[in-house]
Amino acid sequence: MFQLLTRIDRPTWRRDLSASIVLFLISIPLSLGIALATGAPAQAGLVAAAVGGIVAGLLGGAPLQVSGAATGLVVVTAELIQRYGWRTTCAITVLAGVTQLALGALRVARAALAISPAIVHGLLAGIGVVIAIGQLHVLLGEQPGSSAVSNLAALPGELQHPHMSALLIGAVTVGVLAVWPRLPGDAGRRARAVPAPLAAVAAATAAGTGMSVPRVDLPSWRLHAVPGLPDEPVLGLIAAVLTVTLVASMESLLSAVAIDRLQAGRPDMRRAPAARLDRELAGQGAANIVSGLLGGLAVAGGAIRGSANVRAGARSRRSTVLHGIWVVLCAGLLAGVLELIPLAALAALVMVVGVKMVSFAHIKHVQRHREFPVYAATLGAVVLLGVLTAVAIGIAVAVLTALRHLTHTRITVTEEAGGHRVRVDGQLTFLAVPRLTRALAQVPPGTNVVVELGGSFMDHAAYDALQSWSNSHRAHKGWVTVSGRAGRPIAEPASAHACRPWTPWRNHHCTRPAASAPPGGSQLLGGVSAFQRNTAPLVRDELARLAREGQQPTQLFLTCADSRLVTSMITSSGPGDLFTVRNVGNLMPPPGSDAACDSVAAAIEYAVEVLEVGSITVCGHSGCGAMQALLGSPGEPGAQTPLARWLRHGRPSLTRMEHCRRQGLDEIALADRPVADDAERLALVNVVQQLDHLLAHPCVARRVAAGSLALHGMYFHVGEAQAYVLDRASGTFTAVRPEVPDALGAAHP
């Protein structure tokens, strides 16, 4: 720990220190509110926050994960305290931590994420509903009941006789929480540096000055809650331990994954290492053991605190550990200040957190994947029956839903212009084979047929039936295409860039001319024929859409005319993705060049001003003939051939490389290997030089200065089939690896 806190890295230290203060200001009111909601001692929330920050922060596998009192365990912990008492609840927390340690050692964290997201979201939403209903009673000046059902039943009577002081304090808290993130102007921006939970609790405390309302009670620190097991049935305790383990682990693992995604969406910050989920599970287990032994609440990673940590600019786990230290110091030195906080303010804070756990984005997500029944069943079961029962019900409904999706298949045959279309909605299993064969029998022989498979699974019996019919239909001079719902081959992943630009012409199998074919353009015509036969039916709908809507590319790609450089193959792009300019040497003449260069300048102006592309990429390549010509040419200024005149626009690159060599500088480098020779070095320098030429064009410079246009450099080694991306700050070209998104924003699976 000492080494972590004293490692010298001043920029990182400053960001981590700032983030730790933000986390501390959020954790204090949230931890006290969660303790209040569970019925535990107020200091139990502070113990969980401190232990979660220090122990889980040091030992966990997600550096920017922030652990503390678990929001998702509020309902479970409240039930355990009512049933077993506080000492036994602490013992259950310890045993749950031991179980998490064992699960981390068994490396099952990834397997835990296999549980349907609909179950997890429904579980958290149900817990949020129960929390919100229970804390509403506190705002009305009453104590919540033992279940959500009893709380709902008692609510009408309590609404008739509310405690006005507590209700006023709660209203102030909720109002500040709602308004604070939306404060306008520079003053609002400066005010938002204070976290909304702290501002809300501070405002409510000020509003409650002089009112006779219950407030936070922090007893003097002592080990008054040493864990102990009661003389209760063992099966009940085992179920309690498993419930705490399951909910705490799922909340922590999902939060860690969400924080990784949040980091990936913020290219402005240096990323911490990706989460190691098994280590994170073990770290959470260690934190729960320590928290339970010290009389604290169960600990879990939380998306609220974790996302705040990322947005505050944290760079390492140091911010999490420091926030835990600040909590310890606050509990020891500022107990008197904390005891001024009205319980109604904390209840309102936790109630808002509970309401936010019911996410409409999650509801839309599960509805889109036809899993809303699973979500609704889990949510309702949490409210009516409890967490562990809800998980079992959610799993049962998920299994039934999957079986229904697997067996429910709808097959229709429609006649269209030029042929027939057979649509299959659902999965094709042996149960659907009779319906499939009846539908295919309706298709007349010798016709053109598109079989559109809307599902994602086809077993051997269905495949054999479809394949046999296809072979028979083709034998009777018919034409058959089997595709997915969007026109893609059924085995092709439905990703944003699922095209396979290499496959259609590998070794020119589909375009190689026959021996009897006449010389000339037969191979080109053969390729066009192959396109009409194989590709056109798959892209016709997409091209028709582009024809209606017009081109709207997001990027301009400037590269060489070399025949070995296939743009769509390198970038996995399709129709409408790139506005492409190709010329000898991927040159971008600067403004003021001779009129023969207007073609390239016009393309740049059109892409930047009319199409409003968001980025421009200059791509050089190995073995470039233009670079070799520049190296071997004497460069007479009076050269009159078109090629010689054009290559004069590459001479600044040659001059730049020679200048660096005379000065002993190494302006350009490849990150993982030495530059092979002068031809490769010149190709790399030329990319940088052409980017400078681009910036000389007023339309490009204006958009770059406004932040609406980005310039990128790329180098493609043909022989290695390896792309490199330029880091302009260091002048280094870094190889794009399959598992890492490149600087152009494209993920390479």
Side-chain angles (χ1 to χ4, degrees), residues 34-46:
I34 292 174
L36 169 68
T38 61
Q43 69 181 23
L46 299 179

Side-chain angles (χ1 to χ4, degrees), residues 98-300:
V98 173
T99 307
Q100 286 179 306
L101 275 177
L103 293 175
L106 293 174
R107 307 180 68 82
V108 299
R110 289 284 176 188
L113 296 179
I115 295 178
S116 169
I119 297 175
V120 177
H121 296 324
L123 179 68
L124 295 177
I127 291 171
V129 170
V130 175
I131 290 173
I133 294 172
Q135 295 311 295
L136 182 57
H137 284 265
V138 179
L139 291 184
L140 296 173
E142 303 292 338
Q143 289 297 319
S146 58
S147 68
V149 176
S150 62
N151 284 333
L152 283 172
L155 198 57
E158 293 178 2
L159 287 172
Q160 296 177 7
H161 306 287
H163 190 291
M164 297 308 299
S165 297
L167 193 60
L168 174 63
I169 291 172
V172 170
T173 306
V174 173
V176 174
L177 286 172
V179 172
W180 199 257
R182 299 175 176 83
L183 293 176
D186 291 339
R189 180 176 54 81
R190 288 191 293 269
R192 288 195 298 271
V194 178
L198 179 65
V201 171
T205 302
T209 302
M211 294 184 183
S212 177
V213 291
R215 300 180 186 272
V216 171
D217 179 22
L218 288 177
S220 59
W221 174 252
R222 62 185 185 278
L223 290 174
H224 64 285
V226 177
L229 292 175
D231 187 14
E232 295 282 346
V234 176
L235 289 179
L237 292 174
I238 292 175
V241 171
L242 292 178
T243 302
V244 174
T245 302
L246 174 65
V247 177
S249 300
M250 292 301 301
E251 187 174 358
S252 299
L253 295 176
L254 290 173
S255 173
V257 172
I259 290 169
D260 270 1
R261 292 174 181 170
L262 185 60
Q263 284 191 84
R266 293 176 63 88
D268 56 313
M269 67 176 291
R270 187 175 69 189
R271 292 192 61 188
R276 297 164 56 188
L277 296 183
D278 292 303
R279 176 179 170 181
E280 177 63 19
L281 189 57
Q284 295 293 333
N288 273 313
I289 292 173
V290 176
S291 182
L293 290 174
L294 295 179
L297 290 169
V299 170

Side-chain angles (χ1 to χ4, degrees), residues 360 372 393 545 642:
F360 287 101
F372 184 76
I393 291 176
R545 182 186 66 81

